[in-house]
Amino acid sequence: MVLIARRALRVLQLQRRHVSSAVGLAESSNVATISLKNAATRNALSLAVLEDLHTALGRADGAGAIVLRSSSQQFCSGHDLDELRSATADERRAVFEACGAVMRALRRAPPVVCAVRGAAFAAGCELAATCDLVVAEPAAKFATPGVKIGLFCHTPAVAVAAALGHPRRAAELLYTGDPISAADARDLGLVHRIVDDADDAAAALAAKIATVGSAAAARHGKRVLARGVDVEASYARARTAMVDGLEHADAVEGIAAFFEKRPPAFGARRRFSTAARGPGRRRQLSTGFEHLSVVDAAARLEADAAATYLDCRSAAEVATGVVEGSVNIPYPHDGDAELIEPAEFVADADAEFARDDTILVGCRSGSRSILAAEILVDAGFTNVLHVDGGMNAWFQAGLPVAPFTG
């Protein structure tokens, strides 16, 4: 009788103590139901929501099974981009740490059945992928669209790749950012069942799990079923990559474009092709960031006192001089061979420039200039301008040069 009274009290507490207006928690028949309840943001995972979700999972720890659902027509749109774009690096780190805590809690919780209707995007896809079972309605969509706004879905990638058993099975989802249907998600292994009513199906499945046998045995089995992936180490790297990625110029532009409802203008869209060269074929790279003619580059240097010309030739290649006022950083490239060590080049550039300095890049040739500029853009320099034709064109145009001094 005392046990029944205690259990009734615990159920009552769970039902009354909703964690917040955005996260609901209730329990019935040994099944805890956690509901995302902020339709206005499509259940975006702000820091406050993540903390409340973590609290709800802790309170549901004694249940036989858990249902994770949405009370609206969309499951979860991912992280709250509005919050992230105005946050400091430390605040962003706190968001991803809180998200990591939720994913750890899900992995340690009683069996979790996720009911998906509508969109499960980005961190919402991560949330679903971390659950033990996913039931989805036919119109449900799954996506990791970060690449489209210049911010790769690093942390969702960990959960999705682990759920699918191999990174390659997650590659198309992550690299294209395109949504896939519930049927395609089932074929990949992300969804277990497609049902007309995800809430009813999840509740029935969770009730069966909670009543069919030993809850302790089920939780032990859950640990055994975990994939052979070092998830914690992967998440540690991915969280750092997410925080760093938000500082990249492409992410700043992509998120701004998202809120302004326009196509993003990324700084370095790259196109690869092959061309015959000597006995073999070498890969040639062209970039989509700003190109300047040598005449325009000279005018820019004259008009912009903060601009610097980066002469990427080695000292041995510098015969008669360099562009007046330029900086010389040898670029690690051996003739027409492939790039050797870009890290050294970036380290030298870091010693000479701030990440937002205006840098006009030229080398012995246009192809070298493009490659050098692309390395700087990838490293996070935000104002890199490629000078068409490189140093040879500069000399041919008769533009100012000065003796190379070191």
Side-chain angles (χ1 to χ4, degrees):
M1 196 67 180
V2 173
L3 290 175
I4 293 172
R6 284 179 179 169
R7 177 157 182 80
L9 177 61
R10 189 166 72 87
V11 171
L12 186 61
Q13 288 171 335
L14 284 171
Q15 289 172 336
R16 285 183 177 173
R17 294 180 63 191
H18 284 195
V19 185
S20 74
S21 59
V23 177
L25 173 63
E27 186 180 55
S28 176
S29 302
N30 204 24
V31 173
T33 300
I34 298 174
S35 301
L36 302 175
K37 301 175 64 177
N38 194 349
T41 66
R42 293 177 297 168
N43 296 315
L45 298 177
S46 66
L47 178 59
V49 170
L50 286 165
E51 289 173 343
D52 287 347
L53 189 51
H54 186 263
T55 300
L57 285 164
R59 292 180 185 168
D61 190 63
I66 297 172
V67 172
L68 179 60
R69 62 179 290 276
S70 164
S71 61
S72 65
Q73 292 303 307
Q74 303 296 329
F75 177 68
C76 179
S77 60
H79 286 296
D80 187 335
L81 287 177
D82 202 17
E83 176 183 69
L84 286 176
R85 69 171 174 164
S86 60
T88 66
D90 285 343
E91 289 167 341
R92 290 167 172 174
R93 194 169 292 109
V95 169
F96 295 116
E97 289 290 348
C99 189
V102 167
M103 302 308 157
R104 284 193 295 274
L106 281 170
R107 293 197 303 273
R108 295 167 183 167
V112 183
V113 183
C114 184
V116 178
R117 62 162 65 91
F121 285 0
C125 189
E126 177 184 2
L127 199 59
T130 307
C131 294
D132 299 284
L133 294 161
V134 179
V135 295
E137 295 182 0
K141 298 287 186 183
F142 297 81
T144 51
V147 68
K148 293 186 174 183
I149 59 167
L151 180 65
F152 192 81
C153 285
H154 298 281
T155 44
V158 175
V160 173
L164 300 186
H166 197 287
R168 189 171 294 162
R169 292 178 66 83
E172 185 174 352
L173 198 66
L174 290 157
Y175 292 146
T176 68
D178 291 339
I180 61 172
S181 66
D184 288 340
R186 181 181 58 189
D187 291 343
L188 284 171
L190 188 58
V191 166
H192 300 87
R193 295 184 190 174
I194 298 176
V195 296
D196 290 334
D197 190 318
D199 285 349
D200 284 352
L205 185 54
K208 184 174 183 179
I209 292 169
T211 58
V212 73
S214 163
R219 294 184 74 156
H220 179 69
K222 177 172 176 170
R223 290 194 294 272
V224 173
L225 282 172
R227 269 75 174 181
V229 176
D230 189 347
V231 174
E232 285 306 313
S234 297
Y235 265 125
R237 292 190 295 271
R239 283 192 291 271
T240 298
M242 290 295 290
V243 174
D244 291 345
L246 279 160
E247 301 289 340
H248 193 278
D250 277 1
V252 173
E253 159 62 14
I255 293 171
F258 174 82
F259 282 100
E260 294 165 13
K261 295 181 170 54
R262 61 174 174 80
F266 293 136
R269 288 197 179 278
R270 295 182 290 279
R271 182 176 64 255
F272 290 91
S273 62
T274 55
R277 192 91 170 189
R281 300 174 71 84
R282 69 185 285 266
R283 187 173 69 184
Q284 292 185 325
L285 177 68
S286 71
T287 56
F289 52 84
E290 186 173 353
H291 298 267
L292 297 177
S293 70
V294 290
V295 174
D296 289 339
R300 180 67 175 263
L301 286 171
E302 187 175 355
D304 184 354
T308 308
Y309 194 100
L310 174 57
D311 176 3
C312 300
R313 297 176 299 164
S314 68
E317 289 178 312
V318 180
T320 58
V322 295
V323 175
E324 207 165 65
S326 71
V327 172
N328 178 267
I329 298 176
Y331 152 64
H333 195 284
D334 181 17
D336 290 326
E338 289 290 328
L339 190 63
I340 301 171
E341 285 293 338
E344 182 180 348
F345 175 59
V346 171
D348 288 342
D350 267 328
E352 290 283 350
F353 304 112
R355 290 300 174 106
D356 58 352
D357 282 354
T358 302
I359 307 172
L360 286 71
V361 179
C363 296
R364 184 181 66 185
S365 67
S367 61
R368 284 197 184 191
S369 302
I370 287 172
L371 282 164
E374 185 267 339
I375 294 168
L376 293 180
V377 168
D378 275 356
F381 289 88
T382 58
N383 199 5
V384 178
L385 308 176
H386 160 241
V387 180
D388 283 317
M391 289 297 297
N392 286 346
W394 195 284
F395 292 136
Q396 290 165 9
L399 294 168
V401 297
F404 175 65
T405 57

